[in-house]
Amino acid sequence: MAGQTATIFNIQRFSLHDGPGIRTTVFLKGCNLRCFWCHNPEGLTVSRQLMRYPDKCIGCGKCGEVCGYRLDPASCVGCGKCAEVCPAAARTMTGEEKTVDEVVATVLKDRAFYAKAGGATFSGGEPLLQAEFVRACADRLVAEGIPCAIETAACLPWEKIETVLPALSLVIMDLKHHDPQAFAKYCGGKLETVTENLARIARSGIEYWVRIPLIPGVNADPESVSQIGALICTTVGEHLPGVVELMPFHALGGSKYDALGQNYAATGLDAPEKALQEACREALRAHGLNAI
């Protein structure tokens, strides 16, 4: 199992927003949804990708010397040769094959900072597309006394979640909309799958949180958020989540789309104002949910 590999696009140390305490967050590449506001576009595909930053280019020409396709983006096969010789990081590759041993070793470097609340979080992308790898890492870390959490959209077969669940102390899952048609339109998946998994997670007895991305034009209004809150309550019954967290839209991922040569569909959207965010939290609290 130690030789098993997965494609990782980032391991973020000293993370404060991916579960309780100080955490190390492992971001796995690949996602089965296509939410147009996604701020990690480099996590959507499993394969390695070239990212270009023209403003960093110093005009040395080294990339052109090694590229067999004359630097034509349409012909790029993502071999990474140009990134290897670029001295200015104007061309970089995102995505790296890592073994269980390598991921575990990185997480354990910060063992002293986790204290009682912290630990490791597996995110993405959709980390459960590589569920066996996550389980192998989590088993090793739990044996070392490191609690593990996962961030998931939960829009995939229950068997994937079930593979990882016994090794976790926390599940953080998204609930992006209350309406199946809107969910399919904006995210490209089946809301029924998400709610079925939410019900099973709630009944499992594991601690779980629900996150709601607050997206202008999609769900960033108290009425929509209230309906999401009602959906949570009817789905989980008495097994309410420990936290329901609003995740306000931000456009910080836009530059990544440029680097990947992709269009950013959320261009022009603004972050919800603080007053609106609080009104949405109150709409959740009206359902008896611990909204933050």
Side-chain angles (χ1 to χ4, degrees):
M1 187 68 77
Q4 188 177 353
T5 64
T7 310
I8 310 293
F9 69 90
N10 188 23
I11 299 181
Q12 181 176 319
R13 299 166 68 184
F14 300 98
S15 175
L16 300 175
H17 304 289
D18 299 307
I22 296 173
R23 311 191 71 83
T24 299
T25 304
V26 181
F27 292 89
L28 291 91
K29 273 178 72 66
C31 186
N32 59 324
L33 297 181
R34 288 297 182 269
C35 308
F36 74 84
W37 59 84
C38 180
H39 61 272
N40 283 334
E42 73 276 35
L44 295 178
T45 63
V46 176
S47 59
R48 299 177 72 220
Q49 294 170 282
L50 177 66
M51 303 184 78
R52 304 172 180 86
Y53 300 94
D55 57 317
K56 295 183 179 180
C57 179
I58 59 176
C60 67
K62 292 182 181 294
C63 55
E65 295 173 2
V66 299
C67 180
Y69 300 93
R70 300 181 179 181
L71 302 180
D72 177 18
S75 302
C76 179
V77 296
C79 68
K81 292 180 180 179
C82 60
E84 291 174 2
V85 300
C86 180
R91 289 169 174 262
T92 64
M93 295 299 295
T94 179
E96 183 178 357
E97 288 294 308
K98 288 189 177 292
T99 66
V100 172
D101 284 343
E102 289 173 322
V103 170
V104 169
T106 301
V107 173
L108 290 179
K109 288 179 181 178
D110 295 326
R111 182 203 294 266
F113 298 99
Y114 299 144
K116 292 183 178 180
T121 300
F122 295 89
S123 189
E126 173 51 75
L128 288 174
L129 292 179
Q130 303 183 75
E132 292 78 11
F133 181 86
V134 173
R135 176 63 190 268
C137 291
D139 281 343
R140 291 270 301 278
L141 291 168
V142 170
E144 294 281 350
I146 308 299
C148 293
I150 197 163
E151 294 178 335
T152 176
C155 190
L156 68 180
W158 171 251
E159 289 73 21
K160 292 287 188 181
I161 300 173
E162 196 173 34
T163 294
V164 179
L165 205 61
L168 302 177
S169 58
L170 173 66
V171 174
I172 304 171
M173 65 165 289
D174 291 349
L175 190 55
K176 305 172 191 291
H177 213 282
H178 64 277
D179 179 74
Q181 292 183 338
F183 183 80
K185 174 183 176 181
Y186 295 123
C187 304
K190 292 184 177 180
L191 180 60
E192 181 182 10
T193 301
V194 179
T195 53
E196 287 177 353
N197 288 333
L198 171 60
R200 286 174 165 174
I201 290 168
R203 291 196 303 266
S204 73
I206 192 171
E207 182 181 1
Y208 76 100
W209 299 354
V210 174
R211 279 181 168 174
I212 303 171
L214 201 60
I215 312 301
V218 175
N219 63 5
D221 60 87
E223 181 179 353
S224 294
V225 172
S226 177
Q227 292 187 69
I228 295 174
L231 178 59
I232 293 172
C233 292
T234 57
T235 300
V236 307
E238 62 183 7
H239 307 291
L240 295 179
V243 170
V244 179
E245 182 177 11
L246 291 181
M247 304 293 289
F249 168 80
H250 63 75
L252 298 180
S255 60
K256 298 180 183 180
Y257 287 86
D258 292 338
L260 290 166
Q262 300 174 1
N263 293 324
Y264 184 37
T267 297
L269 294 186
D270 296 320
E273 295 183 356
K274 298 291 186 181
L276 175 59
Q277 294 179 35
E278 187 56 30
C280 290
R281 291 188 187 95
E282 288 300 326
L284 292 171
R285 291 168 185 151
H287 292 282
L289 297 167
N290 179 25
I292 65 171

